[in-house]
Amino acid sequence: MFSLTLTNGVPSKSHFSNRTHHFHRTHHFLHFPLIKNPSPIRCGIRELRERIETVKNTQKITEAMKLVAAARVRRAQEAVINGRPFSQTLVEVLQDINQRLRIEDIDVPLTNVRPVKKVALVVITGDRGLCGGFNNAVAKKAETRIRELKSVGLDCVVISVGKKGNSFFKSRNFVHVDRFIEGGSFPTTKEAQAIADDVFALFVSEDVDKVELVYMKFVSLVKFDPVIHTLLPLSTKGEVRDVNGNCVDAMEDEFFRLTTKEGKLALERDVVDRKRGECLPLMQFEQDPVQILDAMMPLYLNSQILRGLQESLASELAARMNAMSNATENAIELKKNLSMAYNRQRQARITGELLEIVAGAEALTPID
């Protein structure tokens, strides 16, 4: 609250102290909730007027960015929802084919489960900021996974996708980065294929023994979680172990969640229950299962990476929309507080001038 102190009928000079506070830049209030109890604002009238104009301009920018993100997130959300059934069904079919081949003791390079000495992490982040803690959450998830693997004596290599992830790993030397990739405005199969080719080359040449995908899973417009998705080898949980026989699967592995009954996408259709180890009903293989698996594995890699890119983009846009919404609300609240402080100082200055006029008039009045 504003208080007016009078000294001999005149406002004190300390009240009009010209202590300037620099305007808080936009990112200082982008990702935080509304300020319930703001600290007292002590600035001159000119500084307050300039800060009010600056906050008004910032509010226009953040509101425009919110509308742009809201328009783009709908398209990204539809791409995620439409792609999930295909991705999930493909994983289930490959699981069934792979189980049949393992029963017949047939060797397929991309499904070989060998002792793990080195793990490759494909980390997907965004190309831009102003989206809350989105990029930081993915980077921290990858860093935690790397330290977890190193704690059990395993080497790691990273394929970084996205400018923010590239900057994160370039500024740290705790892990080797095989390749830096900058994402596009919207995920495409060509971009996913380029990443899949790198993953394929690393795994087939036995440079790495396991490949994991780290990205932000899109749950809703207000919820998205960083997850770890096992790409290669195609196996059930607990089978991938290091040379000492210790399991190296992540505790919250998205790949295995997809293959479980609880992790299926909820759709309005009849779900056919089937026992584990059986092929989908009414499905027969005319060709050799090895040929089918060899033909489908590139499609599997491409689809899973493309899905990760789509989920990451949808999560980024939703996070940016929420961050810009909070920024707009904070700008409105800050503008309100600054306007109140400006009006109070303006009224106090007018009151002071009136008091000076009255005091001067009284001084000129002759004493009887």
Side-chain angles (χ1 to χ4, degrees):
M1 297 295 293
F2 181 87
S3 61
L4 181 63
T5 304
L6 299 180
T7 304
N8 297 326
V10 181
S12 62
K13 293 183 179 179
S14 60
H15 173 70
F16 298 107
S17 59
N18 189 20
R19 296 169 54 190
T20 59
H21 286 204
H22 292 291
F23 168 67
H24 298 285
R25 292 184 182 275
T26 305
H27 61 269
H28 284 184
F29 57 88
L30 283 181
H31 318 307
F32 299 98
L34 291 178
I35 303 172
K36 300 295 183 181
N37 298 314
S39 58
I41 300 174
R42 295 184 177 89
C43 289
I45 292 182
R46 179 180 298 177
E47 288 78 9
L48 283 173
R49 191 183 300 117
E50 292 176 354
R51 290 183 62 180
I52 290 172
E53 289 299 321
T54 305
V55 172
K56 283 182 180 178
N57 295 333
T58 302
Q59 178 188 343
K60 294 178 182 178
I61 295 172
T62 55
E63 194 166 3
M65 294 182 68
K66 172 188 172 183
L67 295 176
V68 171
R72 293 186 61 195
V73 75
R74 181 175 296 275
R75 178 187 175 191
Q77 183 180 10
E78 290 178 355
V80 169
I81 295 175
N82 294 335
R84 277 179 178 172
F86 170 79
S87 176
Q88 179 181 350
T89 304
L90 180 61
V91 171
E92 292 175 350
V93 171
L94 290 176
Q95 283 278 12
D96 290 324
I97 298 174
N98 187 40
Q99 288 182 3
R100 175 180 294 185
L101 294 178
R102 295 180 65 182
I103 293 173
E104 299 177 2
D105 197 19
I106 299 176
D107 185 24
V108 179
L110 292 180
T111 61
N112 282 343
V113 179
R114 50 182 182 259
V116 178
K117 298 179 182 178
K118 194 171 186 179
V119 179
L121 295 178
V122 181
V123 183
I124 301 177
T125 58
D127 288 335
R128 299 170 56 195
L130 300 179
C131 51
F134 168 80
N135 293 306
N136 186 61
V138 178
K140 292 300 181 184
K141 184 75 172 180
E143 185 177 9
T144 301
R145 180 58 176 161
I146 291 169
R147 298 190 186 283
E148 177 186 339
L149 293 171
K150 287 189 174 183
S151 66
V152 295
L154 298 179
D155 292 332
C156 296
V157 62
V158 169
I159 298 176
S160 177
V161 182
K163 293 181 180 179
K164 292 298 179 180
N166 295 349
S167 301
F168 177 83
F169 289 108
K170 285 178 181 178
S171 62
R172 290 162 176 81
N173 56 2
F174 63 93
V175 65
H176 171 69
V177 180
D178 180 74
R179 186 178 178 186
F180 294 102
I181 302 175
E182 293 186 3
S185 59
F186 198 82
T188 61
T189 54
K190 183 178 180 180
E191 181 181 351
Q193 187 61 50
I195 302 172
D197 291 341
D198 276 359
V199 170
F200 180 85
L202 287 173
F203 189 81
V204 172
S205 63
E206 298 189 4
D207 290 339
V208 298
D209 305 302
K210 186 179 182 182
V211 181
E212 296 178 346
L213 186 65
V214 183
Y215 65 97
M216 189 71 78
K217 180 184 178 183
F218 179 81
V219 180
S220 67
L221 291 176
V222 294
K223 181 176 174 60
F224 15 86
D225 301 318
V227 296
I228 299 176
H229 179 133
T230 297
L231 287 177
L232 296 173
L234 195 66
S235 63
T236 57
K237 189 171 184 178
E239 284 191 357
V240 181
R241 299 179 178 272
D242 60 11
V243 292
N244 298 322
N246 300 319
C247 179
V248 295
D249 289 330
M251 294 300 295
E252 297 292 335
D253 199 318
E254 178 66 11
F255 175 79
F256 304 112
R257 193 181 304 161
L258 279 175
T259 59
T260 59
K261 181 178 179 181
E262 291 79 6
K264 290 184 177 180
L265 182 65
L267 298 174
E268 294 182 359
R269 59 182 175 84
D270 294 332
V271 179
V272 180
D273 294 331
R274 61 190 181 91
K275 295 182 180 180
R276 190 171 181 81
E278 296 180 356
C279 288
L280 292 170
L282 304 178
M283 181 177 293
Q284 295 179 351
F285 301 105
E286 295 183 357
Q287 296 179 333
D288 184 56
V290 177
Q291 296 179 356
I292 297 176
L293 195 61
D294 287 341
M296 294 181 69
M297 283 303 291
L299 177 62
Y300 159 76
L301 281 177
N302 198 321
S303 66
Q304 295 302 307
I305 293 174
L306 179 61
R307 179 195 167 186
L309 294 172
Q310 291 174 340
E311 298 251 6
S312 179
L313 177 64
S315 301
E316 179 187 356
L317 292 174
R320 180 170 293 113
M321 183 181 67
N322 293 330
M324 293 301 102
S325 177
N326 292 336
T328 303
E329 293 175 2
N330 285 340
I332 294 173
E333 184 70 16
L334 182 57
K335 183 177 67 174
K336 177 182 176 182
N337 295 333
L338 291 172
S339 298
M340 290 175 62
Y342 173 78
N343 292 332
R344 286 169 180 166
Q345 288 203 21
R346 180 171 168 271
Q347 292 172 2
R349 176 170 290 185
I350 294 173
T351 303
E353 291 176 354
L354 290 175
L355 290 173
E356 289 178 358
I357 294 172
V358 172
E362 289 292 334
L364 296 175
T365 303
I367 301 175
D368 295 336

